[in-house]
Amino acid sequence: MRDLMLPLDDRGFAYGDGLFETVLVRDGRALLWEAHLARLAEGCARLGLPAPPRARLDPLPAACGAGLQVLKLVVTRGSGGRGYRPPLEPEPRWGFSATAFDPAPLRWFAGVEVRLCELRLGRQPRLAGLKHLARLENVLARQEWDDDTIAEGLMCDSEGYLVEATAMNLVWLHEGRLETPLLDQAGVAGTLLAALDAETPLQRVRAEPQRLQQAEAAWVCNSVQGVWPIRVLRDTEGAVLRRWEVAADDLLRRLAHPLLGYPVGSDT
C-alpha cells in the first residue's frame, strides 16, 4: 500500500471505519472510474468524513503502468476519538496499491458453480450499498467452502432474502426480465451493476432463493472479474438445486464486457 501508514489508533484499522474501491485499470486507464469515484464520494458523505481530493485521485490509474492492474484505494477516518466516538474534525488517511491482474476467461464462457452460504447478512440500511472496510461477514461466508470447483457463495440477509455473492453482485433472468436483489438493507452496490442498469433496466426485487431457482439464467458479476454465468447452483450441503445451460450468445456478457474491455464471445 502506497502513502498509507496505519498506526494502531487508526480507526480504519481498529474499527473498519472507512471505505475502499477496487478498480480495473487497463494500460493506465481506469474502467468505470466515474462510477467508482461517485460511490466513494457517497460513502464518505454517508460516513461523515471528507473525501480525498479529486485532483489527487485522477492521476492514480496512469501510475499503475501497462497491462491489466487492480487499483485498490483505501480511505480511513484517520486517528482520534476515544473508543467508538469519532473525532469532530477527522483527518482521513488514504492510500492505494496496484496489483497485476490475470482474469479468468474460462469462467466467462463455461460458467461457474455457486453455492448458498449458511451465514446471513445483518440488516443495516445506513450501511447498505457502501463498500466499507468492515467485511467480516463476507470473510466468514467465504470460509464455508474450500472446494475450487465452487467459484462463489450466495448470501441472504437475516430475513432469508437474497443479497449478493461474497465478492460479486447477483443478477438473474426471470420471465424475460433481468432482476437483481434490493440492496436497501445490506450488500454492496456494485459499479458494474450500476453501469448495467444504465444499459438496460434491472428490476430490484426482494426475493428468496426459490425465485433464483426458477430463473431462465443467472450470473454473478463485478467490475474486476466481469460476468460469470452460473452453471450450477448448490445448497449449503452441496446438493444441486438447479443447473443452467450457458448460452454462447450470453445476454449479460454482451452488455457488461464492452464496459470493461473484456471479450463478449470466446471467438472475439
Side-chain angles (χ1 to χ4, degrees):
M1 186 70 66
R2 304 174 190 173
D3 302 330
L4 187 62
M5 299 295 291
L6 292 181
L8 290 178
D9 67 349
D10 183 90
R11 297 182 64 83
F13 181 83
Y15 307 124
D17 188 0
L19 303 154
F20 72 106
E21 293 289 331
T22 46
V23 184
L24 185 67
V25 178
R26 183 183 300 276
D27 295 324
R29 184 175 71 89
L31 286 306
L32 302 179
W33 185 234
E34 294 299 327
H36 283 287
L37 293 185
R39 182 173 63 184
L40 180 64
E42 180 187 355
C44 287
R46 287 170 61 183
L47 293 184
L49 57 94
R54 175 74 187 256
R56 294 190 64 188
L57 297 181
D58 280 337
L60 298 185
C64 293
L68 275 182
Q69 303 276 333
V70 174
L71 169 66
K72 184 169 184 178
L73 175 64
V74 178
V75 180
T76 80
R77 195 180 298 273
S79 300
R82 177 174 173 78
Y84 293 132
R85 182 181 180 180
L88 293 177
E89 297 183 5
E91 297 181 4
R93 290 187 177 90
W94 67 275
F96 70 97
S97 65
T99 307
F101 178 64
D102 187 15
L106 182 62
R107 290 179 170 179
W108 297 336
F109 307 119
V112 296
E113 295 193 21
V114 303
R115 53 158 281 168
L116 295 175
C117 293
E118 293 181 2
L119 183 137
R120 298 295 182 93
L121 291 167
R123 288 182 154 205
Q124 178 46 265
R126 290 190 64 176
L127 295 177
L130 301 186
K131 198 162 186 176
H132 56 74
L133 293 175
R135 307 243 63 95
L136 272 179
E137 291 174 318
N138 303 66
V139 171
L140 291 175
R142 187 57 187 85
Q143 282 183 329
E144 291 184 19
W145 79 94
D146 192 28
D147 180 352
D148 288 340
T149 64
I150 304 297
E152 256 290 15
L154 307 185
M155 296 187 293
C156 295
D157 66 15
S158 57
E159 302 300 311
Y161 295 112
L162 288 165
V163 177
E164 62 187 0
T166 64
M168 307 178 85
N169 287 117
L170 175 63
V171 181
W172 61 84
L173 184 67
H174 183 263
E175 296 181 353
R177 298 189 311 170
L178 286 172
E179 298 180 341
T180 192
L182 267 171
L183 299 176
D184 60 341
Q185 300 294 316
V188 175
T191 54
L192 182 58
L193 195 71
L196 283 169
D197 198 22
E199 294 286 317
T200 187
L202 300 178
Q203 302 295 319
R204 263 69 173 183
V205 298
R206 214 175 299 284
E208 297 177 338
Q210 289 83 351
R211 188 175 184 89
L212 177 60
Q213 291 175 242
Q214 299 165 1
E216 294 101 82
W219 304 266
V220 287
C221 61
N222 69 25
S223 62
V224 171
Q225 298 288 358
V227 172
W228 295 346
I230 299 176
R231 186 178 71 250
V232 179
L233 172 65
R234 298 182 181 273
D235 67 13
T236 57
E237 302 298 322
V240 174
L241 297 174
R242 177 70 194 269
R243 297 182 187 272
W244 289 275
E245 293 291 330
V246 177
D249 185 25
D250 185 85
L251 170 62
L252 213 66
R253 194 167 61 237
R254 281 192 285 111
L255 292 170
H257 277 202
L259 302 171
L260 301 174
Y262 287 151
V264 173
S266 56
D267 57 345
T268 59

